[in-house]
Amino acid sequence: MKDFEKEDIEFILEEASKLEDIAKSKAKSRELEGKILGLLFYEPSTRTRLSFETSMKRLGGDCIELGDASNSSVAKGESVADTAKMFESYCDAIVIRHDLEGVSRFLSDIVDVPIINAGDGAGQHPTQTLLDLYTIKKHFGKIDGLNIALLGDLKYGRTVHSLAYALGMYDVEMTFVSPDELKMPKETLHDLEKNNIKYKQTNSLKDVIDDVDVLYVTRIQKERFPDVEEYEQIKGAYSINKKLLEGKDLIVMHPLPRVDEIAYDVDDTEYNKYFEQAANAIPVRMAILRNLITHRYE
Ligand code: CP
């Protein structure tokens, strides 16, 4: 996310809004016909993988996929660098999700096709942030002036790392709500402070729930804990339910998947923005792909 200026973000959000009809199959596009997107997912994914595939296909392009590591030469010990080098000659852009922080940055130095970070361990998830911002802007008509709380696992949650950097480019009130053990990483806080970006921290949801416009909830990332005992002690730290939200003037967002941090009774309320947020992945990722792939050939 640190690669982005505010104007880059605004450009993608604007482009995405123009692609809504194609995203919803109300209009057709062959703009990326003949182009191929490589999907390298070394970690599980539903939304990111499938929405990139849908986005590419909605624009007339196609995808190749590494698939399950056990069915590829990853099982024989092939490195991610060698695999990406192969993909470079098979496709026009690569989307990668991997548990290693910084892997997409590294690959972008050794591979000539565009590399899109679809989540690097507990690092960043920038395309998720773009669709998060798109969702906020679509609902409120703006991002500036809003009061936004990021809640849950701020230590290991890559979506909130990217989102904090992006929100720092806007005039928002930003509060980080987490258990003490899962606070936003010092490096991220340091970067925000270096850029004179104001934020608050608390472990109490009660401190923010009456004032926020956006409650951005995250899952506690069990798979990132070095010690499962630590996870067991902290799981279920926050639970958002319909009763808690009654009378509040806010929207609830979540990058998904959820476990127990948002009760199912919120789904049928006006607070629920998380499924629309997931749907917004299509126009936003279409805008990203169109921009990266077509500009490469201009
Ligand atoms: N939001 C998100 O990254 O979801 P997936 O892990 O299902 O891709």
Side-chain angles (χ1 to χ4, degrees):
M1 211 63 224
K2 289 189 231 175
D3 287 348
F4 280 75
E5 305 279 341
K6 186 177 177 180
E7 64 193 29
D8 302 322
I9 294 175
E10 289 292 316
F11 173 76
I12 293 290
L13 304 191
E14 188 59 36
E15 288 286 294
S17 68
K18 295 180 200 156
L19 293 166
E20 285 268 1
D21 278 354
I22 302 168
K24 292 184 179 125
S25 197
K26 291 179 188 161
K28 280 194 176 209
S29 168
R30 308 305 307 163
E31 211 171 328
L32 293 186
E33 191 162 24
K35 302 286 187 261
I36 294 176
L37 180 66
L39 301 170
L40 264 69
F41 279 74
Y42 290 81
E43 281 197 330
S45 169
T46 299
R47 276 147 293 274
T48 311
R49 184 172 52 87
L50 295 177
S51 63
F52 265 115
E53 185 170 350
T54 302
S55 300
M56 193 63 186
K57 289 180 174 173
R58 289 273 192 240
L59 289 169
D62 215 334
C63 297
I64 54 169
E65 193 170 1
L66 181 67
D68 192 329
S70 63
N71 285 329
S72 71
S73 287
V74 174
K76 301 175 200 162
E78 186 161 49
S79 69
V80 64
D82 281 0
T83 305
K85 282 301 244 179
M86 291 302 99
F87 265 62
E88 175 184 24
S89 50
Y90 301 156
C91 58
D92 300 280
I94 294 172
V95 180
I96 180 157
R97 172 171 290 187
H98 199 281
D99 62 354
L100 209 60
E101 280 180 44
V103 73
S104 37
R105 162 72 60 205
F106 162 67
L107 293 180
S108 71
D109 288 338
I110 62 163
V111 164
D112 275 339
V113 297
I115 298 282
I116 303 171
N117 180 3
D120 59 331
Q124 300 254 340
H125 195 350
T127 67
Q128 174 72 42
T129 287
L130 293 171
L131 72 93
D132 294 341
L133 297 176
Y134 185 74
T135 304
I136 294 171
K137 197 165 182 183
K138 204 168 155 184
H139 181 79
F140 293 100
K142 62 176 186 177
I143 298 169
D144 286 324
L146 297 177
N147 188 330
I148 299 174
L150 311 187
L151 172 92
D153 186 348
L154 308 186
K155 180 178 180 181
Y156 297 118
R158 55 194 170 201
T159 65
V160 282
H161 300 161
S162 293
L163 188 54
Y165 282 115
L167 289 174
M169 297 179 215
Y170 292 84
D171 180 20
V172 296
E173 274 194 57
M174 189 159 46
T175 308
F176 303 139
V177 189
S178 69
D180 289 340
E181 298 85 342
L182 297 178
K183 281 182 166 174
M184 192 62 87
K186 284 197 172 71
E187 185 204 335
T188 308
L189 298 179
H190 174 75
D191 286 343
L192 296 178
E193 286 158 21
K194 207 172 61 185
N195 291 308
N196 292 319
I197 295 156
K198 302 250 179 306
Y199 63 86
K200 290 182 204 149
Q201 291 190 97
T202 177
N203 53 25
S204 169
L205 178 58
K206 278 193 190 135
D207 287 352
V208 299
I209 190 92
D210 289 324
D211 300 321
V212 291
D213 301 299
V214 179
L215 184 61
Y216 190 98
V217 184
T218 60
R219 176 177 65 89
I220 297 192
Q221 312 273 305
K222 181 180 181 183
E223 66 276 23
R224 308 264 177 242
F225 280 68
D227 178 0
V228 76
E229 283 298 314
E230 255 180 73
Y231 169 76
E232 289 298 328
Q233 281 166 21
I234 220 160
K235 70 176 185 187
Y238 300 102
S239 176
I240 309 301
N241 56 48
K242 188 175 172 179
K243 191 163 183 302
L244 179 83
L245 296 170
E246 263 166 17
K248 311 285 191 266
D249 189 15
L250 56 83
I251 60 168
V252 177
M253 294 177 63
H254 192 306
L256 302 176
R258 70 174 148 182
V259 181
D260 54 6
E261 57 281 357
I262 301 178
Y264 286 97
D265 66 5
V266 182
D267 294 3
D268 294 330
T269 69
E270 74 273 22
Y271 301 107
N272 168 8
K273 274 284 154 189
Y274 32 93
F275 292 131
E276 186 185 323
Q277 184 183 351
N280 287 337
I282 306 296
V284 172
R285 289 189 167 125
M286 283 169 68
I288 293 165
L289 291 173
R290 192 168 76 155
N291 195 45
L292 281 177
I293 295 174
T294 56
H295 282 194
R296 188 168 173 248
Y297 291 92
E298 269 172 7

